[in-house]
Structures are given as structure tokens and as C-alpha cells.
Amino acid sequence: MLPRRRLRRSPLITALVVVLTLVGGGGAAAFWSAQARLDGTANAATVGVTQKLLPEGQKSPLAMTYSGTALQAAGAVSIVNRGSRAASYTATVAADATKTSAALRSGIRVWVEPVSHVSACTPQSPPADAVTLDNRVTAVGQIGASSTTQTESQVILCVRTAISPGTLISEGGQRAELTVQSQLTYAPGEDWTVTTEAAALTQDVAALSHMRCEEPLLSASARLTFSQASGATYRVFVAPAGAPDAREQVQNPSIQSGRLTLRHANFPSPNGNFWVTVERVDAGGTSIVGVAEVRTGWFLVSYVSCGWD
């Protein structure tokens, strides 16, 4: 009788391969804490992510200056999955609270959505659900695996921002510091995550042109001067000094040859400091052409004066 052979069990083989992709202007930080138990042959997975501001190699359209003719901005961001598995993505837009004033953070609205092509990412008026930069704005979704380096899977997101007219009026000369950062998660619950470095962007707020203000003798009114173009319609708004976005439109404003005359009845309060804004509406859209600080009061008769108390 032949002796029995004792068989040894082969040790369990576990192989984890992490590929981390570094991109121009930033890198990626990978966090892998999987506790894998693989039976039989060794399994391997790769992970990696690239984030790019588009158009590649050019200044992002998001890095812009808000002005009387530019109250919205839009810029595309691509997220490329360089891993061998499908993943969920999270893109986050945030403001640096140490470098961006609270008034500016609350006056700029942000919304993010996927688009089919960079050309579809254009400035728009903010939807009702757009949130302000007081919050971290996130977009989430799914992205497929990249089978080869020639067929990388990507998602293009459009980041849109818009400043309110009141914030443009009151925050001229200020700057917002923004960041855009992307993250891929390959196995929810197992903490297989890759995160890009944050891409930094700046948005400036141009100071609006202040209209010349005069107080005609014995008229109890204020007269503002601005550049009036032919073929355009003009709208006038007034807002309390402390609430520049609480604007009310002046009905049937008195405008002649670039001169706007404001009387006591044009204001919602008999005593107070107000912002006055003149907007032009033409074939090119709506733009703010001038702003002024005026006050209303009563001393024997009601009056409107230049400047604030």
C-alpha cells in the first residue's frame, strides 16, 4: 500500500494595485482602506482621477469680472476616470471664507449640471434652486470604467455662477476666491476613494459707474446724469441702502436727454438712504449703466438729496 501524501494549502493571494494620476496644476490624493479577502487567483484593480478646467490650456471662463454687462459666468470641468472600475463622482464648488466677504458669498449663486459638450456650457440666469456660496455646492453622479488609456471615461460638468444686482452695486471692488474639487468613489462602504487637488479660481466685482447727482435750486428733487443711447429702453430701481437687492422699479421715470429726475414720490419711504440704479434694455440684453446714492427726507417740505446721511 502506497503511503498517503500530505497536501499543503496554497496561501491566500491578495493583490491591490493603486494607480494615482497627477495632472497639470494639481495632483490627486488617494485613500484606500479596503479589507479584501480574495479566494483563488489574485484579483487587481486600478483607480485614478483627473480633473481639468476647460477649455484645456486656457483661462477658465469662470475666472472673470462681474460688471454692469456681465452678471453671469459659466465654465466647464471634466472628470476623467482612469480606473478599471465604474465609480460615483462628487464635484464640489466652494468659496474660501477667509478671502471672500460674507456679503459676496451670500450674493453669488452657483449651480452645477452635466453637459454633453463644452459648447453647451453658457451663462444663464440662476434657477430657483441655485444656492449661494455660503454653502458648499456639490454635484453627484456615476462615471463608467476606463477600459484602456485610449478610451477613458469622462463626465463634463458645467459650473454656472450669477451675482445679484444688489451685490454688484454694494460690493464693487471686492473679490471672490473659489475652488473646484472632484472625487471618485469606487466601492461605497469600503472607502476606496481618489480625490483631486482643488483648482483655484478668482472672480472680481467691478465698481459700477456712479452717476453725477445734482440738486436743482428750489426743486426738492435730485437729478442724475448718465449716458443715454438711442434705441434703448431704460428702467430705474430704488432700494434701501442696507438691502440693495430689495429693489423696487420706479414707474414712469422722468428721463430726458440722459437726465433722470427723482422726486419724493418715487421712493417707498419718506425718510431714508437709497441706492438708485439705471438699467438699459436693448437687443444685447440688460445692463446696469449707473448707480447713485440719494436720500429722502422732510424739512418743511419733502425733498430728495444727493448722498447719504
Side-chain angles (χ1 to χ4, degrees), residues 53-55 58-66 70 72-77 123 159-161 175-180 199-205:
L53 300 182
L54 304 175
Q58 301 180 33
K59 180 180 177 181
S60 170
L62 281 171
M64 50 81 72
T65 299
Y66 294 111
Q72 297 100 27
V77 179
V159 179
R160 293 186 172 97
T161 64
R175 168 174 288 184
E177 301 277 357
L178 313 181
T179 59
V180 181
L201 295 162
T202 61
Q203 293 187 331
D204 294 311
V205 182

Side-chain angles (χ1 to χ4, degrees), residues 69-208:
T69 57
L71 278 73
Q72 297 100 27
V77 179
S78 73
I79 305 173
V80 178
N81 180 7
R82 297 189 178 277
S84 58
R85 293 184 177 186
S88 61
Y89 69 80
T90 301
T92 303
V93 182
D96 186 337
T98 65
K99 298 179 180 179
T100 308
S101 70
L104 200 52
R105 295 198 307 273
S106 64
I108 296 178
R109 306 183 78 83
V110 185
W111 64 109
V112 185
E113 58 186 357
V115 292
S116 58
H117 193 270
V118 177
S119 61
C121 186
T122 56
Q124 296 179 5
S125 297
D129 59 352
V131 301
T132 67
L133 281 173
D134 286 326
N135 309 278
R136 295 171 64 87
V137 183
T138 60
V140 297
Q142 299 295 316
I143 186 170
S146 294
S147 57
T148 68
T149 56
Q150 285 74 38
T151 58
E152 294 170 334
S153 181
Q154 78 166 344
V155 171
I156 299 177
L157 299 177
C158 181
V159 179
R160 293 186 172 97
T161 64
I163 193 170
S164 70
T167 304
L168 182 67
I169 292 168
S170 63
E171 298 303 305
Q174 299 297 312
R175 168 174 288 184
E177 301 277 357
L178 313 181
T179 59
V180 181
Q181 189 170 36
S182 301
Q183 175 179 287
L184 297 186
T185 300
Y186 291 85
E190 298 182 38
D191 200 24
W192 291 354
T193 302
V194 284
T195 305
T196 67
E197 281 191 2
L201 295 162
T202 61
Q203 293 187 331
D204 294 311
V205 182
L208 291 173

Side-chain angles (χ1 to χ4, degrees), residues 188-244:
E190 298 182 38
D191 200 24
W192 291 354
T193 302
V194 284
T195 305
T196 67
E197 281 191 2
L201 295 162
T202 61
Q203 293 187 331
D204 294 311
V205 182
L208 291 173
S209 173
H210 273 64
M211 294 178 285
R212 188 178 67 185
C213 184
E214 301 173 308
E215 301 171 14
L217 186 63
L218 302 178
S219 70
S221 63
R223 188 169 63 192
L224 306 177
T225 303
F226 63 95
S227 178
Q228 184 176 1
S230 61
T233 301
Y234 289 86
R235 302 186 303 192
V236 179
F237 295 87
V238 296

